[in-house]
Amino acid sequence: MRSFGSAILVLAAVLLAGTAACGAWLAQNVVSAEGFARLAQPLGENQAFQSELSAAVAEQAGASSGLPDVIAQFIEPVVQEVVSGIQQDPGYPGAWTQTLEQSHTATFDSGMPTLDLGPLLNLVGAGVAEKTGTDVPDAGSRPIALSSADASEQLAGLTRFADAWPMFAAAAVLAALLGLLVARRRSTTLALIGAGAVGVGAALWLLAGVVPAVAERQAPSNPVASSFITALAPEAAAAFQAWLIPLMLGAAVLCVAGLVFRFAAGNRRRVR
C-alpha cells in the first residue's frame, strides 16, 4: 500500500512539475509584454514577414500622413523609398521592440489579435520629413486588427494558467516530498522522480517540435497575421525547447543521485 501511494504521489509530482514548467514559460514569454517582445524580436530580420509588414506600414503611412492629397501624392514615392529601407534605419530595432510591446498590450486589452504600427509609422515619418522638409504628424497609436475573432476568453484563461505556475510548482514539490516520505525505498523513489521528470520534459520537447507545422496549417487568411504566426512559431518552439534543457538536466541529476544512493545502500547491506 505504501508503494502504491508513493507511486501515485510521484506521478502527480512529475505531471505538476511539467505543468509548472509550461506555465512559467508562458508567463515569461507570452503573458509578459517585455518577454513577448524578446521572443518575437528575431522577426525583425525575417524577410517574408517584413515584406508583408512593410506593405502594411506603407499603406498606413499614406493614410495617416495628414497632408493634402496633392502633397500626399507627391511624397508617396518618398514614403515607399523610406519604408523599403526601414530595416537599415538605426532606430528600427527600438521601434520594432515598441511595436511588439504595444501590439501585445493592445491584443490583451481588446481580446483581438492586433498589430500597433505607431512606432514604425513614426520612424517612417521621421525619414519622410528628413527627405522632404515637411512636418509629418505623430502617428500615435495605430492599431490594426489582424483577425475579427474575439479571443478574450482564451487570453484570460492563458493568463490565469500562466499566473498559477508557482502553485503548480509548490504542489509538485509537496507531492514529491510526500512520495519520498511514504516510500519504502526513498533512493529508488528519488530516481523515479528524476526519470519521470526527464520523460515529461522529453515529451514536451517533442510536442514543441510539431508546433510550427500546426501553426502553418492553421494560419489566418490575413497576410500580415499569417506571416507573423508562421515566422513566430519556430522561434517560440526553439525558445521553449531551450527552456526545458536545464530543467531536464536537473531532473537527470536527481535520477542519478537516487541511483547512487540506492547502489550505496545495497553495498552496505552486502557488507553487513
Side-chain angles (χ1 to χ4, degrees):
M1 190 66 178
R2 287 178 61 185
S3 297
F4 177 75
S6 177
I8 294 298
L9 288 167
V10 167
L11 178 61
V14 167
L15 294 178
L16 286 167
T19 304
C22 293
W25 186 85
L26 289 171
Q28 181 175 324
N29 297 280
V30 177
V31 175
S32 166
E34 294 79 7
F36 177 76
R38 287 192 299 270
L39 178 67
Q41 188 67 32
L43 271 63
E45 299 178 0
N46 183 287
Q47 294 304 315
F49 170 66
Q50 288 299 318
S51 175
E52 297 291 348
L53 181 63
S54 295
V57 170
E59 180 180 353
Q60 289 292 315
S64 63
S65 64
L67 298 173
D69 290 343
V70 175
I71 300 178
Q73 293 176 4
F74 172 74
I75 68 169
E76 183 176 349
V78 179
V79 172
Q80 295 289 343
E81 179 185 352
V82 172
V83 170
S84 65
I86 191 173
Q87 287 179 266
Q88 284 70 48
D89 192 296
Y92 181 78
W96 174 234
T97 299
Q98 291 178 20
T99 296
L100 291 171
E101 292 179 351
Q102 292 181 197
S103 299
H104 179 280
T105 301
T107 296
F108 274 74
D109 287 347
S110 66
M112 297 176 60
T114 302
L115 181 64
D116 191 338
L117 296 177
L120 292 179
L121 290 174
N122 284 332
L123 189 64
V124 171
V128 171
E130 182 180 353
K131 287 180 176 293
T132 63
T134 58
D135 291 329
V136 178
D138 188 289
S141 179
R142 299 288 298 185
I144 58 173
L146 298 179
S147 172
S148 59
D150 186 357
S152 300
E153 292 186 6
Q154 293 88 334
L155 292 173
L158 177 67
T159 301
R160 287 194 297 270
F161 174 73
D163 290 343
W165 79 263
M167 291 187 291
F168 288 122
V173 172
L174 179 60
L177 292 176
L178 290 175
L180 289 171
L181 183 63
V182 303
R184 291 183 180 276
R185 295 177 176 176
R186 292 172 182 169
S187 57
T188 301
T189 301
L190 182 63
L192 289 175
I193 291 173
V198 170
V200 169
L204 292 173
W205 175 286
L206 294 175
L207 286 174
V210 304
V211 166
V214 173
E216 186 173 358
R217 287 198 299 269
Q218 298 183 353
S221 57
N222 183 293
V224 178
S226 177
S227 297
F228 182 82
I229 292 174
T230 302
L232 180 62
E235 297 290 341
F240 183 60
Q241 288 175 332
W243 169 272
L244 290 172
I245 290 176
L247 302 181
M248 293 172 67
L249 289 176
V253 169
L254 286 181
C255 181
V256 172
L259 294 175
V260 169
F261 292 149
R262 179 66 184 148
F263 180 76
N267 283 343
R268 284 198 298 269
R269 292 194 192 94
R270 284 195 292 271
V271 169
R272 292 175 184 173

